[in-house]
Each structure stands twice: as structure tokens, then as C-alpha cells.
Amino acid sequence: MNYTIHQLQIFLKVVQKQSITKASEELFMTQPAVSIQLKNFQDQFDISLYEIIGRKLHITDFGKEIALIAERVIEELNTINYKTEAYKGMLTGKLKISSASTGKYVIPFFLEEFLSNNAGIDLVLDVTNKTKVVQSLKNNEIDFALVSVVPDLLDVEEELLIDNKLYLISSEPQPNEQMPLIYREEGSATRSAMEHYYGTHNSKARKRLELTSNEAVKQAVIAGLGNSIMPLIGIKNELIEKQLYILPIEDLPVTTKWRLIWLKGKRMSPVAKAYLDFIQLKKNEILEEKFKWYQEYK
């Protein structure tokens, strides 16, 4: 056998994504290039690693076993790289963060300087809904979670970052009680806040759509399909361009807090500890430089 590390990485990514197209996007390769390397890797084995049935990729049981081994091999290779850099005096390793979907408008600004100053650190950032974020934290798969509401029945510590302000958003500048409501999916913190608000204000507005991302909700509101309670942090450009309007409604905005949380008593890696120290030292400076518009918005 004469397969390469690159082929192991490609095969593992294809298995993780269950798609050559999605794997090629994440690897910044063309689809034909991934397909060629995948075939070259398969040619090293007498047993099928995958099958394509009805244009859909299926990983065989043997392929799944090889993927598990490939994952361990790549982790060990990363460890070699980290150890090499560490001996040269660099902070090295992985920083693993899972963020609630709207947190994608927040967390990059709290990472940029830290990663720029520490070239030996690899970031693994998973942006998903609150339920999956909390599950990753509960399973101790990540260093930190970025959430706007502290999860129940989970003993955590936290570092507050910034307010999360939610307003009623419309494509029209004036309130229209006939407009239906657009909700996020079950498990979303924004969905919970919206349900709580309308559950306590006897609204007669009906639910029309349920969408699985903040971006999808935003585009649906712009298209005039309905109104929604949304985080201010994600609609700055649309407000400037007058694609969206904030409606003056009683008891809004709803305000929570974006916070980094981690399991209480967790033994942090040197990278995670360094990042937390950075946040505590630089937080106010980042807020002043990157979020002044947001904090001043009334």
C-alpha cells in the first residue's frame, strides 16, 4: 500500500460530510480533484470503502473502520506538529468552540487577534443550534460554548461577552397586525425568547413559517413573508439599507447575554486557558472597537 496523508485527510472528510461535493468545498479543492484522490485511495484496498447508489454516496462498514483509523492517524500527526512548534516556544494545539447560530456575528471578533498572535493554534468552530451546542458541551467535546441562555441542569462557569438584543423586525416601516410570524426551529434560543414574548402578550398574530437558520429568517422577512423577533447583531447592513425595520413594540427588545461557558471543574488545555485569559484581558477593548454601534443602539 502506498496511500498518502493527503488521501487519508480527503477520505476522512468525505466520510464526515457523506458527500464529495461538500468535502471538496471544505477542503478548498475541486470536486474532480477530490474524486480522483478518493479513487486512488480506494485502489489501495481490495475491499470497497464506499458505494455510489442512485448518485448518493454510501460508506461501507469497512470504510467506516478505515475512517476511524484515519482520524486517529491524523490526530497523531497533528500532535507531532504541535509538539514541534511547542519546542520552538509557540503555543500550539486546538481550540474547540461550539456556537449558537447567531453567535457567528459575535465570536469571530473575539478570536481574530488571539489567532493572529498564536499561529500554532488550530480553531475548530461549530456553528449550530442551541440544543446541539449544549450536547457538545455536555459530552465534553469542546473547550467552550457560546450561548445566550445558560442551559438548565448543567453545571457551568461563564464569561459574559455582550448583550443579545432581540427586536421585532419587519420589511415595512410601520406595524401591520395582519403580518404572520416567522419562527426559528425548536431548540433555538431565539425561538424560545419569541415564544415566551408572544405567550405573555396575548398576540393574535399567527405562525406562518418555521425556518432553521437566522439567515433564512432574515431573508424571509425581507421578502415580506412575515415578521420575526430577531437579534439586532445580525441585521446591521439591512437596517442601513432599509431592507428591514425595527418596529416599536411594547416590552421589546428582549435582552439576554452572549456568554462563553465551560463545564465547571473542567481541566483546561493550555490553549483553552490562554484563550480565556485573552478574553478577560481584551474583552472591553474588543467591545469598544468592534461593537460600539451595537452598544449605543437604542
Side-chain angles (χ1 to χ4, degrees):
M1 290 188 178
N2 194 30
Y3 46 79
T4 66
I5 295 170
H6 188 48
Q7 288 171 346
L8 283 176
Q9 293 170 326
I10 289 172
F11 177 64
L12 181 58
K13 185 61 68 174
V14 169
V15 171
Q16 290 170 341
K17 295 299 175 182
Q18 297 289 302
S19 164
I20 293 174
T21 300
K22 291 179 180 177
S24 66
E25 291 172 354
E26 290 218 359
L27 292 166
F28 300 102
M29 297 174 63
T30 64
Q31 186 173 333
V34 169
S35 296
I36 290 170
Q37 291 299 322
L38 189 61
K39 181 181 183 302
N40 291 341
F41 186 62
Q42 171 65 82
D43 289 343
Q44 306 291 316
F45 301 91
D46 294 328
I47 304 171
S48 294
L49 298 168
Y50 62 92
E51 298 174 326
I52 297 178
I53 303 173
R55 301 184 68 181
K56 182 173 176 58
L57 183 87
H58 297 269
I59 308 301
T60 66
D61 289 340
F62 178 67
K64 292 174 184 176
E65 292 289 336
I66 296 300
L68 290 174
I69 297 170
E71 186 173 24
R72 291 198 296 270
V73 169
I74 292 168
E75 284 292 332
E76 290 300 319
L77 290 170
N78 287 336
T79 300
I80 292 174
N81 294 333
Y82 296 145
K83 290 292 184 184
T84 302
E85 296 300 332
Y87 268 87
K88 294 192 293 186
M90 294 179 64
L91 181 64
T92 64
K94 283 186 178 180
L95 177 63
K96 299 179 181 179
I97 300 175
S98 186
S99 169
S101 57
T102 310
K104 67 185 177 185
Y105 301 109
V106 175
I107 194 63
F109 298 102
F110 289 93
L111 285 165
E112 186 272 331
E113 183 179 346
F114 179 74
L115 295 177
S116 295
N117 293 341
N118 296 281
I121 292 176
D122 293 331
L123 172 67
V124 179
L125 175 61
D126 180 33
V127 179
T128 183
N129 69 28
K130 177 192 169 187
T131 300
K132 293 180 181 178
V133 170
V134 172
Q135 191 62 46
S136 295
L137 186 68
K138 185 177 180 181
N139 294 342
N140 199 28
E141 298 169 348
I142 55 176
D143 297 307
F144 301 102
L146 180 67
V147 296
S148 59
V149 178
V150 177
D152 296 329
L153 305 177
L154 201 57
D155 202 4
V156 299
E157 297 183 71
E158 67 178 13
E159 180 69 28
L160 298 179
L161 297 184
I162 189 172
D163 286 347
N164 181 36
K165 297 182 281 191
L166 298 101
Y167 292 85
L168 182 63
I169 308 301
S170 177
S171 61
E172 302 176 359
Q174 299 299 324
N176 179 353
E177 294 184 359
Q178 302 304 312
M179 289 291 281
L181 298 174
I182 303 173
Y183 280 76
R184 284 286 305 276
E185 80 285 6
E186 291 283 356
S188 161
T190 302
R191 162 73 170 255
S192 297
M194 193 166 173
E195 287 181 331
H196 177 75
Y197 176 81
Y198 283 110
T200 58
H201 286 76
N202 299 316
S203 172
K204 295 181 181 179
R206 68 181 183 90
K207 182 171 74 173
R208 180 175 184 177
L209 291 176
E210 180 177 307
L211 301 174
T212 58
S213 75
N214 192 67
E215 190 63 30
V217 172
K218 180 165 64 176
Q219 295 304 320
V221 174
I222 289 173
L225 297 181
N227 297 340
S228 186
I229 290 181
M230 298 181 63
L232 173 66
I233 197 76
I235 59 172
K236 178 183 179 181
N237 291 337
E238 288 76 15
L239 291 174
I240 292 172
E241 295 169 5
K242 299 189 183 303
Q243 292 179 296
L244 292 176
Y245 298 88
I246 291 177
L247 300 180
I249 302 296
E250 181 185 9
D251 296 331
L252 288 180
V254 173
T255 302
T256 57
K257 293 276 188 181
W258 282 111
R259 62 197 79 212
L260 276 181
I261 62 173
W262 60 95
L263 292 176
K264 191 170 185 178
K266 179 179 176 63
R267 186 175 180 180
M268 289 190 180
S269 69
V271 168
K273 181 63 170 62
Y275 181 61
L276 183 59
D277 290 344
F278 167 82
I279 289 295
Q280 292 171 338
L281 178 66
K282 292 283 192 173
K283 177 174 65 176
N284 291 335
E285 182 180 318
I286 294 169
L287 291 174
E288 176 64 23
E289 180 181 351
K290 304 295 186 180
F291 295 97
K292 189 173 182 180
W293 75 271
Y294 180 75
Q295 297 191 94
E296 292 178 350
Y297 195 95
K298 303 297 183 183

